[in-house]
Amino acid sequence: MTERIREFLRTRREDGPCVVIDLDVVKENYHAFSRALPDTRVFYAVKANPAPEVLALLAKLGSCFDCASVVEIELALSAGATADRISFGNTIKKERDVVRAMELGVRLFAVDCTAEVEKVARSADKVGVKDARIFCRILCDGAGADWPLSRKFGCVPEMAADVLEHGHRLGLTAYGISFHVGSQQANINAWDSALASASAVFQECATRGLSLSMVNLGGGFPARYLRPIPGVPAYGDAIFQALSKHFGNRLPETIIEPGRGMVGDAGLIEAEVVLISKKAADDQVSWVYLDIGKFNGLAETMDEAIRYPIRTARDGDATVPCVLAGPTCDSVDVMYEKTPYMLPFSLEIGDRVLIEGTGAYTTTYSAVAFNGFPPLKQYVI
Amino acid sequence: MTERIREFLRTRREDGPCVVIDLDVVKENYHAFSRALPDTRVFYAVKANPAPEVLALLAKLGSCFDCASVVEIELALSAGATADRISFGNTIKKERDVVRAMELGVRLFAVDCTAEVEKVARSADKVGVKDARIFCRILCDGAGADWPLSRKFGCVPEMAADVLEHGHRLGLTAYGISFHVGSQQANINAWDSALASASAVFQECATRGLSLSMVNLGGGFPARYLRPIPGVPAYGDAIFQALSKHFGNRLPETIIEPGRGMVGDAGLIEAEVVLISKKAADDQVSWVYLDIGKFNGLAETMDEAIRYPIRTARDGDATVPCVLAGPTCDSVDVMYEKTPYMLPFSLEIGDRVLIEGTGAYTTTYSAVAFNGFPPLKQYVI
């Protein structure tokens, strides 16, 4: 909660929940990443929050952009980024979208299998691009992350050299390796084993005459939620040490893709208590229903993965365990039930609550109109 | 897959996934419910699919509407429903929304606690409404449902008489009881124990001098997905028998709230295979990535709850186990992994796939723009 957000909310008159993003915090976060990893280029993960104001600020600061789709590439370009600062980081792309990205000037593409390599190669032929670069994503176990990644992206490290060599034969530049240690990763050493795998792929490629240049360290940098997390400098130190350990004095070019770590704690949601009730006269737990839930902003409470800090004007009063739920007629629209949330006993219907750390993965996840409720409104200040 | 949908898709030229709704199927489903439960009024659950064409058809056929919000009430009114055919069925309402609903003429409100009753009573006083009716939702275990309901809605049956009596004292009409046996309920006898509870509340209210009139049997009526389900007539018979068993010859007025059962099998999604890959050279399971996933239409694959039938032009060829995933850079965007899906070995990137039974809970659940992908496009024919 920043003073600027507090001031903004004091004068807000509209009804319904909203998220407010403080650009000053985004700026601080960008500088923190730059300082912690001075030789690493920052590719902001646009999907975390594609607000034009956020993208324009980051473009001005010199950030690069990790884009998941042609729409995100167009957003980054509109915000002032040049195409050489854009990575098409989705390993799952329609071939016509690869063509479109190349037409827009993008040259850097994520792949994790030969079929995707072939799409990039055919697209390069079609558009007449000679300098397309690919990096191969490898699987990584994601232990220690609050929002761990499945096996959806990446191949086993043993397959990566084949994938990259295939691209090389088809005229692409085999540029490097990427991985992702899992979103909201609290373990600063999570990069170590992934870098060991990346180094092994570099060596295997070298024996095949391919000289890789780059390691994409992915995202995973956490936002501040309820659980304490290390600061960005601690991540920077641990990553630099792991890089030195596995690559010696032949350090590769590196990039990072922070999304949550860049905008998560820049955002604050203001919501309203719609109902407080009990299911039976002798229930120990109260149900607190807000006007925001899983379908209009808080999707990341899925499986209670992300526990946001919640503030009320009655903090300091005695607390009671509450199940926290959203406003829709959908029974899965319950945020915290397995581990109830402690909230003031004095909380009343109509009270405002502030949900912190909600700058990432809130607006874009919102449903268009589930139950007739509008998507989360966003103000960028 | 109807002939009309087949014909429509043959001439469609736009890119990207879409759902096509055949109004003829909606009409058949409405008539099936009317025939199976001739003395029961149908309140279509608007949240399942609020397409104006669907609402207009149902309004014309004589359906009533179960609305979750003021926006849904306005949609139903715009479609031609009169306010006396609308229920504000959400137990979680802002008081100003209750006021607004009353101003629009709505008189029937769901409640499950005294705090909600008081909102309705204060709103009635404010708007000058003398004939507001409340029904109290009771908890029900939901066993046998593919999308079982949590304890989010309803109170224990023992509390319902207090809730209704509180409303009566505040000038509201204590109108009845509602429950929900769980969505996609395959057990036709699921209504029996809930009706036993409802009957007990009727008796308890009678001893307090309150004569309840109505039992809202909720939804739960399934759509045809992969698993075989009983037909609507079987549900009608079982419900009628359970009503007779628990209410004897003093049958209450009844209403049902089908959503999925009304529009689920009226819809078909056409999607495209974006990528087919393996994570390791010796993997037995292929990953098949579509241009639709959890965030742009298939949210109900959450926890692999709903298994949609999928058709391809290569059906009949030998099949292999596939993990089915969506197109976004989000690792939770995987539809079927725990129980892989059998798809033709000959399936290729660029192939169209048809996903059946997708008329309910697809368009409205879509995210506004996650990863830059647009919400699911809908055609109503």
Side-chain angles (χ1 to χ4, degrees), chain B residues 143-216:
Chain B
D146 280 354
W147 191 258
L149 304 183
S150 65
R151 286 168 60 85
K152 181 175 177 188
F153 309 103
C155 60
V156 294
E158 297 70 33
M159 205 167 104
D162 292 344
V163 170
L164 288 165
E165 190 176 21
H166 193 67
H168 172 74
R169 288 204 186 122
L170 295 173
L172 304 172
T173 301
Y175 188 52
I177 292 296
S178 78
F179 54 80
H180 199 298
V181 295
S183 197
Q184 188 69 10
Q185 176 55 264
N187 175 12
I188 59 171
N189 297 313
W191 280 260
D192 183 75
S193 66
L195 281 168
S197 298
S199 169
V201 181
F202 267 60
Q203 286 167 36
E204 172 61 24
C205 282
T207 66
R208 303 185 190 191
L210 286 179
S211 172
L212 303 185
S213 311
M214 184 273 286
V215 174
N216 177 341

Side-chain angles (χ1 to χ4, degrees), chain A residues 15 68-69 90 94 96 119 151-152 154 156 272 274 279 289 291 295 326-328 330 365-368 371, chain B residues 15 69 90 94 96 119 151-152 154 156 272 274 279 289 291 295 326-328 330 333 365-368 371:
Chain A
D15 191 27
S69 64
N90 193 339
K94 288 184 180 173
R96 53 192 181 276
K119 289 183 202 169
R151 286 168 59 85
K152 182 176 176 188
V156 294
E272 179 181 337
V274 181
K279 299 292 159 186
Y289 301 88
D291 62 355
F295 297 105
T328 67
D330 194 311
Y365 269 129
S366 290
V368 280
N371 274 224
Chain B
D15 191 26
S69 65
N90 193 339
K94 289 183 179 174
R96 52 192 182 275
K119 290 183 200 169
R151 286 168 60 85
K152 181 175 177 188
V156 294
E272 179 182 336
V274 181
K279 299 293 162 186
Y289 301 89
D291 62 354
F295 296 105
T328 65
D330 194 312
D333 186 13
Y365 268 128
S366 290
V368 281
N371 275 225

Side-chain angles (χ1 to χ4, degrees), chain B residues 49-301:
Chain B
N49 191 326
E53 302 90 336
V54 170
L55 301 184
L57 169 69
L58 290 171
K60 202 179 67 180
L61 293 173
S63 184
C64 301
F65 296 90
D66 164 40
C67 295
S69 65
V70 171
V71 168
E72 287 194 353
I73 291 169
E74 290 168 339
L75 285 172
L77 291 170
S78 301
T82 46
D84 61 315
R85 283 158 62 191
I86 291 174
S87 160
F88 199 161
N90 193 339
T91 53
I92 309 150
K93 300 173 288 296
K94 289 183 179 174
E95 190 164 325
R96 52 192 182 275
D97 287 342
V98 179
V99 168
R100 179 78 188 122
M102 286 185 180
E103 287 169 347
L104 290 169
V106 176
R107 295 293 178 266
L108 186 56
F109 298 88
V111 297
D112 67 359
C113 63
T114 53
E116 196 71 15
V117 165
E118 287 168 9
K119 290 183 200 169
V120 178
R122 279 192 302 267
S123 301
D125 284 348
K126 188 169 179 190
V127 183
V129 163
K130 305 289 178 206
D131 55 347
R133 295 165 157 186
I134 52 170
F135 57 93
C136 185
R137 180 151 167 181
I138 55 173
L139 283 164
C140 185
D141 74 359
D146 280 354
W147 191 258
L149 304 183
S150 65
R151 286 168 60 85
K152 181 175 177 188
F153 309 103
C155 60
V156 294
E158 297 70 33
M159 205 167 104
D162 292 344
V163 170
L164 288 165
E165 190 176 21
H166 193 67
H168 172 74
R169 288 204 186 122
L170 295 173
L172 304 172
T173 301
Y175 188 52
I177 292 296
S178 78
F179 54 80
H180 199 298
V181 295
S183 197
Q184 188 69 10
Q185 176 55 264
N187 175 12
I188 59 171
N189 297 313
W191 280 260
D192 183 75
S193 66
L195 281 168
S197 298
S199 169
V201 181
F202 267 60
Q203 286 167 36
E204 172 61 24
C205 282
T207 66
R208 303 185 190 191
L210 286 179
S211 172
L212 303 185
S213 311
M214 184 273 286
V215 174
N216 177 341
L217 301 158
F221 307 97
R224 280 186 290 275
Y225 300 127
L226 271 187
R227 205 149 61 100
I229 49 153
V232 170
Y235 285 87
D237 289 347
I239 288 172
F240 184 77
Q241 281 170 31
L243 273 167
S244 303
K245 174 176 158 191
H246 297 294
F247 287 87
N249 53 10
R250 302 189 54 165
L251 290 188
E253 176 192 338
T254 49
I255 71 180
I256 53 172
E257 298 173 333
R260 188 189 304 282
M262 187 75 84
V263 293
D265 57 15
L268 180 96
I269 282 174
E270 183 181 60
E272 179 182 336
V273 177
V274 181
L275 181 65
I276 302 175
S277 68
K278 296 205 169 192
K279 299 293 162 186
D282 57 351
D283 262 6
Q284 298 301 305
V285 173
S286 291
W287 281 69
V288 173
Y289 301 89
L290 304 180
D291 62 354
I292 189 166
K294 271 202 164 60
F295 296 105
N296 59 339
L298 302 180
E300 287 208 316
T301 57

Side-chain angles (χ1 to χ4, degrees), chain A residues 88-308:
Chain A
F88 199 161
N90 193 339
T91 53
I92 309 151
K93 300 173 289 296
K94 288 184 180 173
E95 191 165 324
R96 53 192 181 276
D97 287 342
V98 178
V99 167
R100 180 80 187 120
M102 286 187 181
E103 287 169 348
L104 291 169
V106 175
R107 295 293 178 266
L108 187 56
F109 297 89
V111 297
D112 68 358
C113 64
T114 53
E116 195 72 15
V117 166
E118 287 168 9
K119 289 183 202 169
V120 178
R122 278 192 301 267
S123 301
D125 285 346
K126 188 169 178 185
V127 183
V129 163
K130 305 289 177 204
D131 56 346
R133 295 165 157 185
I134 52 169
F135 57 92
C136 185
R137 179 151 168 181
I138 55 173
L139 283 165
C140 185
D141 76 357
D146 280 354
W147 190 260
L149 304 184
S150 66
R151 286 168 59 85
K152 182 176 176 188
F153 310 103
C155 60
V156 294
E158 296 71 32
M159 206 167 102
D162 292 342
V163 169
L164 289 166
E165 191 177 20
H166 193 65
H168 173 73
R169 290 206 185 122
L170 295 174
L172 305 172
T173 300
Y175 188 54
I177 293 295
S178 78
F179 55 78
H180 199 297
V181 297
S183 197
Q184 187 69 10
Q185 176 56 266
N187 175 12
I188 59 170
N189 297 313
W191 280 260
D192 185 74
S193 66
L195 281 168
S197 299
S199 171
V201 181
F202 267 59
Q203 286 167 36
E204 171 62 24
C205 283
T207 66
R208 302 186 190 190
L210 286 179
S211 173
L212 303 184
S213 312
M214 184 273 286
V215 175
N216 178 341
L217 301 158
F221 307 97
R224 282 186 289 274
Y225 300 127
L226 271 187
R227 205 149 62 99
I229 49 152
V232 171
Y235 284 87
D237 290 347
I239 288 172
F240 184 76
Q241 282 170 31
L243 272 169
S244 304
K245 174 176 159 192
H246 297 295
F247 287 88
N249 53 10
R250 303 189 55 162
L251 289 188
E253 176 192 339
T254 49
I255 70 180
I256 52 171
E257 298 174 333
R260 187 189 304 281
M262 188 75 84
V263 293
D265 56 15
L268 180 97
I269 283 173
E270 183 181 62
E272 179 181 337
V273 176
V274 181
L275 182 63
I276 302 174
S277 67
K278 297 205 170 191
K279 299 292 159 186
D282 56 352
D283 263 5
Q284 296 302 304
V285 173
S286 290
W287 281 69
V288 173
Y289 301 88
L290 304 180
D291 62 355
I292 189 166
K294 271 204 163 61
F295 297 105
N296 59 339
L298 302 180
E300 288 208 315
T301 57
M302 203 186 292
D303 298 327
E304 311 195 9
I306 303 288
R307 283 182 84 80
Y308 298 104

